[in-house]
Coordinates of all heavy atoms in Angstrom, one line a residue:
M190 N -12.6 -5.6 -79.9 CA -11.5 -5.8 -79.1 C -10.5 -4.7 -79.2 O -10.2 -4.2 -80.4 CB -10.8 -7.1 -79.4 CG -9.8 -7.6 -78.5 SD -10.7 -8.2 -77.0 CE -9.4 -8.8 -76.1
H191 N -10.0 -4.2 -78.2 CA -9.0 -3.1 -78.2 C -7.6 -3.6 -78.0 O -7.3 -4.4 -77.2 CB -9.3 -2.1 -77.1 CG -10.7 -1.5 -77.2 ND1 -11.1 -0.6 -78.1 CD2 -11.9 -1.8 -76.5 CE1 -12.4 -0.3 -77.9 NE2 -12.9 -1.1 -76.9
A192 N -6.7 -3.0 -78.8 CA -5.3 -3.4 -78.7 C -4.7 -2.7 -77.5 O -4.6 -1.5 -77.4 CB -4.5 -3.0 -79.9
V193 N -4.3 -3.5 -76.5 CA -3.7 -3.0 -75.3 C -2.3 -2.6 -75.5 O -1.5 -3.4 -76.0 CB -3.8 -4.0 -74.1 CG1 -3.1 -3.6 -72.9 CG2 -5.3 -4.3 -73.8
T194 N -1.9 -1.4 -75.1 CA -0.6 -0.9 -75.2 C 0.3 -1.3 -74.0 O 1.4 -1.6 -74.1 CB -0.6 0.7 -75.3 OG1 -1.4 1.0 -76.4 CG2 0.8 1.2 -75.5
R195 N -0.3 -1.2 -72.8 CA 0.4 -1.5 -71.6 C -0.6 -2.1 -70.6 O -1.8 -1.7 -70.5 CB 1.0 -0.3 -71.0 CG 1.8 -0.5 -69.7 CD 2.5 0.7 -69.3 NE 3.1 0.4 -67.9 CZ 3.4 1.3 -67.1 NH1 3.3 2.6 -67.4 NH2 3.9 1.0 -65.9
T196 N -0.1 -3.0 -69.7 CA -0.9 -3.5 -68.6 C -0.4 -3.1 -67.3 O 0.9 -3.1 -67.1 CB -1.0 -5.1 -68.7 OG1 -1.6 -5.5 -69.9 CG2 -1.8 -5.7 -67.5
L197 N -1.2 -2.7 -66.4 CA -0.8 -2.3 -65.0 C -1.6 -3.1 -64.0 O -2.9 -3.1 -64.1 CB -1.1 -0.8 -64.9 CG -0.9 -0.2 -63.5 CD1 0.6 -0.2 -63.2 CD2 -1.5 1.3 -63.4
D198 N -0.9 -3.7 -63.1 CA -1.6 -4.5 -62.0 C -1.5 -3.7 -60.7 O -0.4 -3.4 -60.2 CB -0.9 -5.8 -61.8 CG -1.5 -6.7 -60.8 OD1 -2.3 -6.2 -59.9 OD2 -1.2 -7.9 -60.8
I199 N -2.7 -3.2 -60.3 CA -2.7 -2.4 -59.0 C -3.5 -3.2 -57.9 O -4.0 -2.6 -57.0 CB -3.4 -1.0 -59.2 CG1 -4.8 -1.1 -59.8 CG2 -2.4 -0.1 -60.1 CD1 -5.5 0.2 -59.9
T200 N -3.5 -4.5 -58.0 CA -4.3 -5.3 -57.1 C -3.7 -5.3 -55.7 O -4.4 -5.5 -54.7 CB -4.4 -6.8 -57.6 OG1 -3.1 -7.3 -57.8 CG2 -5.2 -6.8 -58.8
R201 N -2.4 -4.9 -55.6 CA -1.8 -4.9 -54.2 C -1.7 -3.5 -53.7 O -1.2 -3.3 -52.6 CB -0.4 -5.5 -54.3 CG -0.4 -6.9 -54.6 CD 1.0 -7.5 -54.8 NE 1.0 -8.8 -55.2 CZ 1.3 -9.9 -54.5 NH1 1.6 -9.7 -53.2 NH2 1.2 -11.1 -55.0
E202 N -2.2 -2.5 -54.4 CA -2.2 -1.1 -54.0 C -3.4 -0.7 -53.2 O -4.5 -1.4 -53.4 CB -2.1 -0.2 -55.2 CG -0.8 -0.4 -56.1 CD 0.5 0.0 -55.4 OE1 0.4 0.8 -54.5 OE2 1.5 -0.5 -55.8
V203 N -3.4 0.3 -52.4 CA -4.5 0.9 -51.7 C -4.7 2.3 -52.2 O -3.8 3.0 -52.6 CB -4.4 0.8 -50.2 CG1 -4.4 -0.7 -49.7 CG2 -3.2 1.5 -49.7
C204 N -5.9 2.8 -52.1 CA -6.2 4.2 -52.4 C -5.5 5.1 -51.5 O -5.4 4.8 -50.3 CB -7.7 4.5 -52.3 SG -8.7 3.7 -53.6
P205 N -4.9 6.2 -51.9 CA -5.0 6.8 -53.2 C -4.0 6.3 -54.3 O -4.0 6.7 -55.4 CB -4.8 8.3 -53.0 CG -3.8 8.3 -51.9 CD -4.2 7.1 -51.0
M206 N -3.1 5.4 -53.8 CA -2.0 4.9 -54.8 C -2.6 4.2 -56.0 O -1.9 4.2 -57.0 CB -1.0 4.0 -54.0 CG -0.1 4.8 -53.1 SD 0.7 6.2 -53.8 CE 1.7 5.4 -55.0
T207 N -3.8 3.6 -55.9 CA -4.3 3.0 -57.1 C -4.5 3.9 -58.2 O -4.1 3.6 -59.4 CB -5.7 2.3 -56.8 OG1 -6.6 3.3 -56.2 CG2 -5.6 1.2 -55.8
Y208 N -5.0 5.1 -58.0 CA -5.1 6.1 -59.1 C -3.8 6.8 -59.4 O -3.5 7.1 -60.6 CB -6.2 7.1 -59.0 CG -6.4 7.8 -60.3 CD1 -6.9 7.1 -61.4 CD2 -6.0 9.1 -60.5 CE1 -6.9 7.7 -62.6 CE2 -6.1 9.7 -61.7 CZ -6.5 9.0 -62.8 OH -6.6 9.6 -64.0
V209 N -3.0 7.0 -58.4 CA -1.6 7.6 -58.7 C -0.8 6.7 -59.6 O -0.3 7.2 -60.6 CB -0.9 7.8 -57.3 CG1 0.6 8.2 -57.6 CG2 -1.6 8.9 -56.5
R210 N -0.8 5.4 -59.4 CA -0.1 4.5 -60.3 C -0.7 4.5 -61.7 O 0.0 4.5 -62.7 CB -0.1 3.1 -59.7 CG 0.7 2.9 -58.4 CD 2.1 2.3 -58.5 NE 2.4 1.5 -59.6 CZ 2.3 0.1 -59.5 NH1 1.8 -0.5 -58.5 NH2 2.6 -0.6 -60.6
T211 N -2.1 4.5 -61.7 CA -2.8 4.6 -63.0 C -2.5 5.9 -63.8 O -2.2 5.8 -65.0 CB -4.3 4.4 -62.8 OG1 -4.5 3.2 -62.1 CG2 -5.0 4.4 -64.1
K212 N -2.5 7.0 -63.1 CA -2.2 8.3 -63.7 C -0.8 8.3 -64.3 O -0.6 8.8 -65.4 CB -2.4 9.4 -62.7 CG -2.2 10.8 -63.3 CD -2.5 11.8 -62.2 CE -2.2 13.2 -62.9 NZ -2.8 14.3 -62.2
L213 N 0.2 7.8 -63.5 CA 1.5 7.8 -64.0 C 1.7 7.0 -65.2 O 2.4 7.3 -66.2 CB 2.5 7.4 -62.9 CG 2.7 8.3 -61.7 CD1 3.5 7.7 -60.6 CD2 3.3 9.6 -62.2
A214 N 1.0 5.8 -65.2 CA 1.1 4.9 -66.4 C 0.4 5.6 -67.6 O 1.0 5.5 -68.7 CB 0.4 3.6 -66.1
L215 N -0.7 6.3 -67.4 CA -1.3 7.0 -68.5 C -0.4 8.1 -69.1 O -0.3 8.3 -70.3 CB -2.7 7.6 -68.1 CG -3.8 6.6 -68.0 CD1 -5.0 7.2 -67.2 CD2 -4.3 6.1 -69.4
E216 N 0.2 8.8 -68.2 CA 1.1 9.9 -68.6 C 2.3 9.4 -69.5 O 2.7 10.2 -70.3 CB 1.7 10.7 -67.4 CG 0.6 11.5 -66.7 CD 1.1 12.2 -65.4 OE1 2.3 11.9 -65.0 OE2 0.3 12.9 -64.8
A217 N 2.7 8.2 -69.3 CA 3.8 7.6 -70.0 C 3.4 7.1 -71.4 O 4.3 6.8 -72.2 CB 4.4 6.5 -69.3
L218 N 2.1 7.1 -71.7 CA 1.6 6.6 -73.0 C 1.3 7.7 -74.0 O 1.1 8.9 -73.6 CB 0.3 5.8 -72.8 CG 0.4 4.6 -71.9 CD1 -1.0 4.0 -71.7 CD2 1.3 3.6 -72.5
D219 N 1.3 7.4 -75.2 CA 0.9 8.3 -76.3 C -0.6 8.5 -76.3 O -1.3 7.6 -75.9 CB 1.4 7.8 -77.7 CG 2.9 7.8 -77.8 OD1 3.6 8.6 -77.1 OD2 3.4 7.0 -78.5
E220 N -1.0 9.6 -76.8 CA -2.5 9.9 -77.0 C -3.1 8.7 -77.8 O -2.5 8.3 -78.8 CB -2.7 11.2 -77.7 CG -4.1 11.6 -77.8 CD -4.3 12.9 -78.5 OE1 -3.4 13.7 -78.5 OE2 -5.4 13.1 -79.0
G221 N -4.2 8.2 -77.4 CA -4.9 7.2 -78.1 C -4.5 5.8 -77.6 O -5.2 4.8 -78.0
A222 N -3.5 5.7 -76.9 CA -3.0 4.3 -76.4 C -4.0 3.8 -75.4 O -4.7 4.5 -74.7 CB -1.6 4.4 -75.8
V223 N -4.1 2.4 -75.3 CA -5.0 1.8 -74.4 C -4.2 1.2 -73.2 O -3.3 0.4 -73.4 CB -5.8 0.7 -75.1 CG1 -6.7 -0.1 -74.1 CG2 -6.6 1.3 -76.2
L224 N -4.6 1.5 -72.0 CA -4.0 1.0 -70.8 C -5.0 0.0 -70.2 O -6.2 0.3 -69.9 CB -3.8 2.1 -69.8 CG -3.2 1.7 -68.4 CD1 -1.8 1.1 -68.5 CD2 -3.2 2.9 -67.4
E225 N -4.5 -1.2 -69.9 CA -5.3 -2.2 -69.2 C -4.9 -2.2 -67.8 O -3.7 -2.2 -67.4 CB -5.0 -3.6 -69.8 CG -5.6 -4.7 -69.0 CD -5.2 -6.1 -69.5 OE1 -4.0 -6.3 -69.7 OE2 -6.1 -7.0 -69.6
V226 N -5.9 -2.0 -66.9 CA -5.6 -1.9 -65.4 C -6.3 -3.1 -64.8 O -7.5 -3.3 -64.9 CB -6.1 -0.6 -64.8 CG1 -5.8 -0.5 -63.4 CG2 -5.6 0.6 -65.6
V227 N -5.6 -3.9 -64.0 CA -6.1 -5.0 -63.3 C -6.3 -4.5 -61.8 O -5.3 -4.1 -61.2 CB -5.2 -6.3 -63.3 CG1 -5.9 -7.4 -62.5 CG2 -5.0 -6.7 -64.8
L228 N -7.5 -4.5 -61.3 CA -7.8 -4.0 -60.0 C -8.7 -4.9 -59.2 O -9.3 -5.8 -59.7 CB -8.3 -2.6 -60.1 CG -9.5 -2.3 -61.1 CD1 -10.8 -2.5 -60.4 CD2 -9.4 -0.9 -61.6
R229 N -8.7 -4.6 -57.8 CA -9.5 -5.4 -56.9 C -9.9 -4.5 -55.8 O -9.2 -3.6 -55.4 CB -8.6 -6.5 -56.3 CG -9.1 -7.2 -55.1 CD -8.2 -8.0 -54.3 NE -7.0 -8.5 -54.9 CZ -6.7 -9.8 -55.1 NH1 -7.6 -10.7 -54.7 NH2 -5.6 -10.2 -55.7
G230 N -11.2 -4.7 -55.3 CA -11.7 -4.0 -54.2 C -12.7 -2.9 -54.6 O -12.6 -2.4 -55.7
D231 N -13.6 -2.6 -53.7 CA -14.6 -1.6 -54.0 C -14.1 -0.2 -54.3 O -14.6 0.4 -55.2 CB -15.6 -1.6 -52.8 CG -16.4 -2.9 -52.7 OD1 -16.6 -3.6 -53.7 OD2 -16.9 -3.2 -51.5
E232 N -13.2 0.3 -53.5 CA -12.7 1.7 -53.7 C -12.0 1.8 -55.0 O -12.4 2.7 -55.8 CB -11.8 2.1 -52.6 CG -12.5 2.5 -51.3 CD -11.6 3.1 -50.3 OE1 -11.0 4.2 -50.5 OE2 -11.4 2.4 -49.2
P233 N -11.1 1.0 -55.4 CA -10.5 1.2 -56.7 C -11.5 1.0 -57.9 O -11.4 1.7 -58.9 CB -9.4 0.1 -56.8 CG -9.1 -0.2 -55.4 CD -10.4 0.0 -54.6
L234 N -12.4 0.1 -57.7 CA -13.4 -0.2 -58.7 C -14.3 1.0 -59.0 O -14.7 1.3 -60.1 CB -14.3 -1.4 -58.2 CG -15.2 -2.0 -59.3 CD1 -14.4 -2.5 -60.5 CD2 -15.9 -3.2 -58.6
K235 N -14.5 1.8 -57.9 CA -15.3 3.0 -58.1 C -14.4 4.2 -58.4 O -14.8 5.0 -59.3 CB -16.0 3.3 -56.7 CG -16.9 4.5 -56.7 CD -17.6 4.7 -55.4 CE -16.6 5.2 -54.4 NZ -17.2 5.6 -53.1
N236 N -13.3 4.4 -57.8 CA -12.5 5.6 -57.9 C -11.6 5.7 -59.2 O -11.5 6.8 -59.7 CB -11.6 5.8 -56.7 CG -12.4 6.0 -55.4 OD1 -13.5 6.5 -55.5 ND2 -11.8 5.7 -54.3
V237 N -11.0 4.6 -59.6 CA -10.1 4.7 -60.7 C -10.8 5.0 -62.0 O -10.4 6.0 -62.7 CB -9.3 3.4 -60.8 CG1 -8.4 3.4 -62.1 CG2 -8.3 3.2 -59.6
P238 N -11.9 4.4 -62.4 CA -12.6 4.8 -63.6 C -13.2 6.2 -63.5 O -13.1 7.0 -64.4 CB -13.8 3.8 -63.7 CG -13.4 2.6 -62.9 CD -12.5 3.2 -61.8
R239 N -13.7 6.6 -62.3 CA -14.2 8.0 -62.1 C -13.1 9.0 -62.3 O -13.3 10.0 -63.0 CB -14.9 8.1 -60.7 CG -15.5 9.5 -60.6 CD -16.0 9.7 -59.1 NE -14.8 9.9 -58.3 CZ -14.6 9.4 -57.1 NH1 -15.5 8.6 -56.6 NH2 -13.5 9.6 -56.5
N240 N -12.0 8.8 -61.6 CA -10.9 9.8 -61.7 C -10.4 9.9 -63.2 O -10.0 10.9 -63.6 CB -9.8 9.4 -60.8 CG -10.2 9.6 -59.3 OD1 -11.1 10.4 -59.0 ND2 -9.5 8.9 -58.4
A241 N -10.3 8.7 -63.9 CA -9.8 8.7 -65.2 C -10.8 9.6 -66.1 O -10.3 10.4 -66.9 CB -9.7 7.3 -65.8
R242 N -12.1 9.4 -65.9 CA -13.0 10.1 -66.7 C -12.9 11.6 -66.4 O -13.0 12.5 -67.3 CB -14.5 9.7 -66.4 CG -15.0 8.6 -67.2 CD -16.5 8.4 -67.0 NE -16.8 7.0 -67.2 CZ -17.0 6.1 -66.2 NH1 -16.9 6.4 -65.0 NH2 -17.3 4.8 -66.5
E243 N -12.8 12.0 -65.1 CA -12.6 13.4 -64.7 C -11.4 14.0 -65.3 O -11.4 15.2 -65.6 CB -12.6 13.5 -63.2 CG -13.9 13.2 -62.5 CD -13.8 13.2 -61.0 OE1 -12.7 13.3 -60.4 OE2 -14.9 13.0 -60.4
E244 N -10.4 13.2 -65.6 CA -9.2 13.8 -66.3 C -9.3 13.8 -67.8 O -8.3 14.1 -68.5 CB -8.0 13.1 -65.7 CG -7.7 13.4 -64.3 CD -6.3 13.0 -63.8 OE1 -5.5 12.6 -64.7 OE2 -6.0 13.2 -62.7
G245 N -10.4 13.3 -68.3 CA -10.6 13.4 -69.7 C -10.3 12.1 -70.5 O -10.4 12.1 -71.7
H246 N -10.0 11.0 -69.8 CA -9.7 9.8 -70.5 C -11.0 9.0 -70.7 O -12.0 9.2 -70.1 CB -8.7 8.9 -69.7 CG -7.4 9.6 -69.4 ND1 -6.5 10.0 -70.3 CD2 -7.0 10.1 -68.2 CE1 -5.5 10.6 -69.8 NE2 -5.7 10.7 -68.5
E247 N -10.9 8.1 -71.7 CA -12.1 7.3 -72.1 C -12.1 5.9 -71.4 O -11.1 5.2 -71.5 CB -12.2 7.1 -73.6 CG -13.4 6.4 -74.1 CD -13.4 6.2 -75.6 OE1 -12.4 6.6 -76.3 OE2 -14.3 5.5 -76.0
V248 N -13.2 5.6 -70.7 CA -13.3 4.3 -70.1 C -13.9 3.4 -71.2 O -15.1 3.6 -71.6 CB -14.2 4.3 -68.8 CG1 -14.4 2.9 -68.3 CG2 -13.5 5.1 -67.8
L249 N -13.1 2.5 -71.7 CA -13.6 1.6 -72.8 C -14.4 0.4 -72.3 O -15.4 0.0 -72.9 CB -12.4 1.1 -73.6 CG -11.5 2.1 -74.3 CD1 -10.3 1.5 -74.9 CD2 -12.3 2.9 -75.3
S250 N -14.0 -0.2 -71.2 CA -14.7 -1.3 -70.6 C -14.2 -1.5 -69.1 O -13.1 -1.1 -68.7 CB -14.5 -2.6 -71.4 OG -13.2 -3.0 -71.3
L251 N -15.1 -2.1 -68.4 CA -14.8 -2.5 -67.0 C -15.6 -3.8 -66.8 O -16.8 -3.9 -66.8 CB -15.3 -1.5 -66.0 CG -15.1 -1.8 -64.5 CD1 -13.6 -2.1 -64.2 CD2 -15.7 -0.7 -63.6
E252 N -14.8 -4.9 -66.6 CA -15.5 -6.2 -66.6 C -14.8 -7.1 -65.5 O -13.6 -7.0 -65.3 CB -15.4 -6.9 -67.9 CG -14.0 -7.0 -68.5 CD -14.0 -7.3 -70.0 OE1 -14.8 -6.7 -70.7 OE2 -13.1 -8.1 -70.4
P253 N -15.6 -7.9 -64.8 CA -15.1 -8.8 -63.8 C -14.3 -9.9 -64.5 O -14.7 -10.3 -65.6 CB -16.3 -9.4 -63.1 CG -17.5 -9.1 -64.0 CD -17.1 -8.0 -64.9
R254 N -13.3 -10.4 -63.8 CA -12.5 -11.5 -64.4 C -12.9 -12.8 -63.8 O -12.4 -13.9 -64.2 CB -11.0 -11.3 -64.1 CG -10.4 -10.2 -64.9 CD -8.9 -10.1 -64.9 NE -8.3 -11.0 -63.9 CZ -7.0 -11.1 -63.8 NH1 -6.2 -10.4 -64.6 NH2 -6.4 -11.9 -63.0
G255 N -13.7 -12.8 -62.7 CA -14.2 -14.1 -62.1 C -13.3 -14.6 -61.0 O -13.6 -15.6 -60.4
D256 N -12.2 -13.9 -60.7 CA -11.3 -14.3 -59.6 C -11.3 -13.2 -58.5 O -10.3 -13.1 -57.8 CB -9.9 -14.6 -60.1 CG -9.3 -13.4 -60.9 OD1 -10.0 -12.3 -61.0 OD2 -8.2 -13.5 -61.4
G257 N -12.3 -12.3 -58.5 CA -12.4 -11.2 -57.5 C -11.7 -10.0 -58.0 O -11.7 -8.9 -57.4
M258 N -11.1 -10.1 -59.2 CA -10.4 -8.9 -59.8 C -11.3 -8.4 -61.0 O -12.1 -9.1 -61.5 CB -9.0 -9.3 -60.3 CG -8.1 -9.7 -59.1 SD -6.5 -10.0 -59.8 CE -6.0 -11.3 -58.7
H259 N -11.0 -7.2 -61.4 CA -11.6 -6.6 -62.6 C -10.6 -6.1 -63.6 O -9.5 -5.8 -63.2 CB -12.5 -5.4 -62.1 CG -13.8 -5.8 -61.5 ND1 -13.8 -6.3 -60.2 CD2 -15.0 -5.9 -61.9 CE1 -15.0 -6.6 -59.8 NE2 -15.8 -6.3 -60.9
R260 N -11.0 -6.0 -64.8 CA -10.2 -5.6 -65.9 C -10.8 -4.3 -66.4 O -11.9 -4.3 -66.9 CB -10.1 -6.6 -67.0 CG -9.3 -6.2 -68.2 CD -9.3 -7.4 -69.3 NE -8.5 -7.1 -70.4 CZ -8.9 -6.9 -71.6 NH1 -10.1 -6.9 -71.9 NH2 -8.0 -6.7 -72.5
L261 N -10.0 -3.2 -66.4 CA -10.5 -1.9 -66.8 C -9.6 -1.5 -68.0 O -8.4 -1.6 -67.9 CB -10.3 -0.9 -65.7 CG -10.4 0.6 -66.0 CD1 -11.9 0.9 -66.3 CD2 -10.0 1.4 -64.8
L262 N -10.2 -1.1 -69.1 CA -9.5 -0.6 -70.2 C -9.8 0.9 -70.4 O -10.9 1.4 -70.4 CB -10.0 -1.2 -71.5 CG -9.6 -2.7 -71.7 CD1 -10.1 -3.2 -73.0 CD2 -8.2 -3.0 -71.5
L263 N -8.7 1.7 -70.4 CA -8.7 3.2 -70.5 C -8.0 3.6 -71.8 O -6.9 3.1 -72.1 CB -8.0 3.8 -69.4 CG -8.6 3.5 -68.0 CD1 -7.6 4.1 -66.9 CD2 -9.9 4.1 -67.8
R264 N -8.6 4.5 -72.5 CA -7.9 5.1 -73.7 C -7.4 6.5 -73.3 O -8.2 7.3 -72.8 CB -8.8 5.2 -74.9 CG -8.1 5.8 -76.1 CD -8.9 5.9 -77.4 NE -9.7 4.8 -77.7 CZ -9.3 3.7 -78.3 NH1 -8.1 3.6 -78.7 NH2 -10.1 2.7 -78.6
K265 N -6.1 6.7 -73.5 CA -5.6 8.1 -73.1 C -6.0 9.1 -74.1 O -5.9 8.9 -75.3 CB -4.0 8.0 -73.1 CG -3.4 9.3 -72.7 CD -2.0 9.3 -72.7 CE -1.4 10.7 -72.3 NZ 0.0 10.7 -72.1
Q266 N -6.5 10.2 -73.6 CA -7.0 11.3 -74.4 C -5.9 12.4 -74.4 O -5.1 12.5 -73.4 CB -8.3 11.9 -73.9 CG -9.4 10.8 -73.9 CD -9.7 10.3 -75.3 OE1 -9.9 11.0 -76.2 NE2 -9.7 9.0 -75.4
G267 N -5.9 13.2 -75.4 CA -4.9 14.3 -75.5 C -5.1 15.4 -74.5 O -6.2 15.6 -74.0
G268 N -4.0 16.0 -74.1 CA -4.1 17.1 -73.1 C -4.2 16.7 -71.7 O -4.4 17.5 -70.8
A269 N -4.2 15.4 -71.4 CA -4.4 14.9 -70.0 C -3.1 14.4 -69.4 O -2.2 14.1 -70.1 CB -5.5 13.8 -70.0

């Protein structure tokens, strides 16, 4: 289990704002902090983890919540 530093709900956002909000939240965290992102929909499910990886962050987990939403855990990496 990872200790979550901050939770971000982007279930009401649409692309590209889903990752813009996620990126801003990551930038506000210290290196090594864990961001929990609650998301919904095919595009954010595909794009948010991919964009985070491309920027050097670690995807710790991506799991369905059972209510049509997913829980994504990201660890902020240094220099990103």
Side-chain angles (χ1 to χ4, degrees):
M190 193 74 175
H191 302 283
V193 172
T194 305
R195 179 174 173 202
T196 298
L197 175 67
D198 182 343
I199 57 170
T200 57
R201 295 176 187 252
E202 301 290 340
V203 294
C204 288
M206 288 307 295
T207 51
Y208 191 66
V209 169
R210 297 257 333 266
T211 303
K212 181 176 178 162
L213 290 172
L215 283 165
E216 287 175 355
L218 297 177
D219 293 332
E220 181 179 340
V223 175
L224 176 66
E225 174 186 44
V226 183
V227 180
L228 47 91
R229 166 198 334 245
D231 293 334
E232 281 188 66
L234 192 57
K235 180 177 78 173
N236 294 336
V237 173
R239 184 190 70 223
N240 291 339
R242 272 192 209 98
E243 287 174 357
E244 291 197 3
H246 304 292
E247 181 182 359
V248 175
L249 299 173
S250 68
L251 176 59
E252 53 197 42
R254 290 193 351 176
D256 56 1
M258 296 183 215
H259 285 76
R260 178 179 187 247
L261 170 67
L262 292 182
L263 300 171
R264 182 181 313 278
K265 180 177 178 175
Q266 299 302 308

